[in-house]
């Protein structure tokens, strides 16, 4: 919230101004330069700086679309402070519709990066040095992995009171206590004193209208919480269920997976969640809830192997 000049990627953006910038991340073997787009909107009145970050994993399209919707409806124009939007962070993965970088690395395990490391590490380093120091708050948009669908939820470390307050303001159906993962975006931001939350919703390479709406409404709720948008016409806020601890219910057999509950359901102990069957009509093994819990992650794969994660559930054994 300083009054000193706001300089990002070598350009000063003055109060009341907008900037459409590009951060160069690599030079390809074709001699073309690969860049990511960084959109900056500053209000005339000083205030916090919020970063909306999408596409850290290139196949997580919901997050990209959420930020696109925010930009398209001009919600990223604050009445106070600065909003930075990076809709597509992992451009390589987005172009190839893959989670990883071309070197096979998970970008979200490469922070703070190194100027002389792998391609993903150099990319992470550039963000850590040129973007991260300028922000105060971050919403990092993700989805479930391949064939795993998440009900909209926000993840944060409950020990960080400001991040927890952001998560509550967001208003997703679930808030999950999630300690920081080493070398993730959230971890490096925390070490720099920044406050961040992770939004999870939907699954990879898929768009879900309810997830998109939850992400857009949640981001707007956070902007209002930070005083960056007016409080009028506030969307109806969901009363979030807080999950202290979670676990995956895993397949005890290989076979065809059928589920008969919905993502987001609250279920009772020993309630039938689904079954694993074989193609020959001989095997049918029911999957029962081990305790009363909420379902907030679901494997949608039709074929599973023994040990595969099937249902992500709240664990009451805290």
């Amino acid at each position: 919230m300083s009054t000193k000049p706001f300089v990002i990627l070598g350009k000063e953006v003055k109060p009341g101004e907008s900037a459409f910038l590009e951060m160069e991340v690599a030079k390809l073997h074709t001699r073309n330069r690969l860049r990511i787009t960084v959109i900056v909107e500053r209000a005339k009145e000083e205030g916090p700086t919020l970063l909306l970050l999408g596409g850290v994993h290139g196949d997580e399209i919901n997050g990209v679309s959420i930020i696109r919707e925010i930009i398209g409806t001009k919600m990223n124009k604050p009445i106070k402070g600065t909003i930075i939007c990076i809709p597509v962070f992992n451009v390589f993965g987005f172009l190839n519709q893959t989670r990883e970088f071309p070197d096979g690395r998970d970008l979200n395990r490469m922070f703070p990066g190194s100027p002389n490391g792998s391609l993903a590490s150099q990319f992470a380093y550039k963000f850590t040095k040129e973007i991260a120091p300028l922000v105060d708050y971050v919403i990092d948009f993700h989805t479930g992995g391949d064939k795993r669908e998440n009900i909209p939820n926000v993840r944060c470390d409950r020990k960080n009171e400001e991040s927890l307050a952001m998560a509550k303001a967001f208003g997703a159906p679930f808030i999950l206590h999630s300690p920081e993962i080493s070398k993730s975006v959230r971890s490096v931001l925390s070490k720099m004193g920044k406050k961040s939350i992770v939004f999870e919703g939907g699954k990879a390479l898929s768009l879900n209208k309810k997830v998109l709406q939850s992400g857009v409404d949640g981001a707007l709720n956070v902007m209002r919480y930070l005083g960056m948008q007016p409080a009028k016409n506030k969307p109806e806020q969901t009363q979030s269920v807080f999950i202290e601890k979670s676990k995956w219910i895993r397949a005890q057999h290989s076979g065809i997976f059928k589920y008969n509950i919905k993502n987001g359901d609250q279920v009772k102990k020993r309630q039938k969640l689904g079954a694993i069957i074989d193609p020959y009509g001989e095997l049918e093994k029911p999957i029962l809830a081990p305790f009363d819990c909420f379902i907030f992650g679901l494997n949608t794969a039709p074929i599973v192997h023994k040990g595969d994660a099937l249902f992500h559930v709240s664990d009451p054994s805290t």
Side-chain angles (χ1 to χ4, degrees):
M1 301 186 189
S2 171
T3 55
K4 67 180 182 180
F6 186 87
V7 179
I8 179 170
L9 301 175
K11 177 177 175 57
E12 180 180 357
V13 185
K14 296 179 180 179
E17 290 186 346
S18 306
F20 192 97
L21 308 173
E22 292 182 325
M23 184 174 82
E24 186 173 321
V25 295
K27 187 175 181 180
L28 304 178
H29 50 277
T30 56
R31 297 186 181 181
N32 300 102
R33 298 185 183 277
L34 193 64
R35 302 174 173 91
I36 64 169
T37 298
V38 180
I39 300 170
V40 183
E41 293 285 352
R42 294 201 71 198
K44 291 182 178 180
E45 183 181 349
E46 291 291 339
T49 297
L50 171 67
L51 170 64
L52 305 179
L53 183 64
V56 172
H57 295 125
D59 60 355
E60 296 182 344
I61 312 302
N62 278 315
V64 176
S65 297
I66 288 168
I67 299 178
R68 185 264 167 219
E69 180 68 17
I70 289 168
I71 295 168
T73 54
K74 303 189 185 305
M75 294 181 198
N76 63 319
K77 291 182 176 289
I79 60 172
K80 181 173 73 173
T82 302
I83 296 177
I84 302 172
C85 291
I86 304 180
V88 184
F89 193 46
N90 179 357
V91 179
F92 287 105
F94 187 72
L95 290 173
N96 295 317
Q97 298 184 53
T98 59
R99 179 181 178 86
E100 300 84 6
F101 247 56
D103 56 12
R105 289 175 168 84
D106 182 342
L107 179 58
N108 208 27
R109 300 294 182 271
M110 301 305 298
F111 292 85
S114 165
N116 301 309
S118 66
L119 179 61
S121 182
Q122 291 182 44
F123 189 95
Y125 180 81
K126 202 169 185 71
F127 169 83
T128 303
K129 291 299 180 182
E130 299 196 31
I131 303 292
L134 301 174
V135 307
D136 302 304
Y137 301 93
V138 180
I139 306 176
D140 183 12
F141 292 92
H142 288 262
T143 75
D146 183 38
K147 297 182 177 64
R148 293 183 185 176
E149 185 168 21
N150 288 326
I151 202 75
N153 68 86
V154 170
R155 303 182 182 192
C156 69
D157 187 340
R158 64 172 176 78
K159 297 176 184 177
N160 188 312
E161 293 183 2
E162 285 192 66
S163 293
L164 180 57
M166 275 180 70
K168 290 178 178 178
F170 192 100
F174 295 93
I175 298 174
L176 177 63
H177 168 56
S178 174
E180 293 154 8
I181 299 172
S182 177
K183 297 186 178 181
S184 66
V185 175
R186 187 158 60 103
S187 174
V188 75
L189 289 168
S190 177
K191 290 176 182 177
M192 298 173 74
K194 318 299 182 179
K195 310 306 174 187
S196 65
I197 57 175
V198 171
F199 172 79
E200 289 271 359
K203 61 183 178 180
L205 296 176
S206 177
L207 288 177
N208 182 303
K209 288 184 178 180
K210 290 184 178 179
V211 170
L212 298 184
Q213 194 62 56
S214 179
V216 171
D217 288 348
L220 186 56
N221 283 334
V222 171
M223 293 176 201
R224 288 178 170 130
Y225 164 73
L226 296 173
M228 306 180 82
Q229 289 290 356
K232 64 180 180 179
N233 300 324
K234 185 176 181 180
E236 184 177 345
Q237 191 167 348
T238 302
Q239 186 64 41
S240 303
V241 174
F242 186 83
I243 297 175
E244 178 78 21
K245 186 179 177 182
S246 65
K247 66 176 292 182
W248 279 95
I249 298 173
R250 295 184 177 274
Q252 299 301 307
H253 306 272
S254 298
I256 299 170
F257 174 47
K258 302 192 302 181
Y259 52 89
N260 56 0
I261 52 88
K262 298 192 301 294
N263 213 354
D265 279 355
Q266 184 176 13
V267 299
K268 297 293 185 181
K269 182 177 181 179
R270 302 211 42 91
Q271 180 176 334
K272 186 177 179 181
L273 307 179
I276 294 177
I277 62 175
D278 70 358
Y280 313 111
E282 295 180 352
L283 172 74
E284 182 165 347
K285 296 292 185 180
I287 305 163
L288 305 180
F291 34 67
D292 294 354
C293 58
F294 287 94
I295 311 288
F296 64 94
L298 176 65
N299 191 332
T300 60
I303 306 294
V304 297
H305 298 283
K306 184 178 181 180
D308 283 356
L310 302 180
F311 303 97
H312 203 183
V313 302
S314 58
D315 184 350
S317 62
T318 53

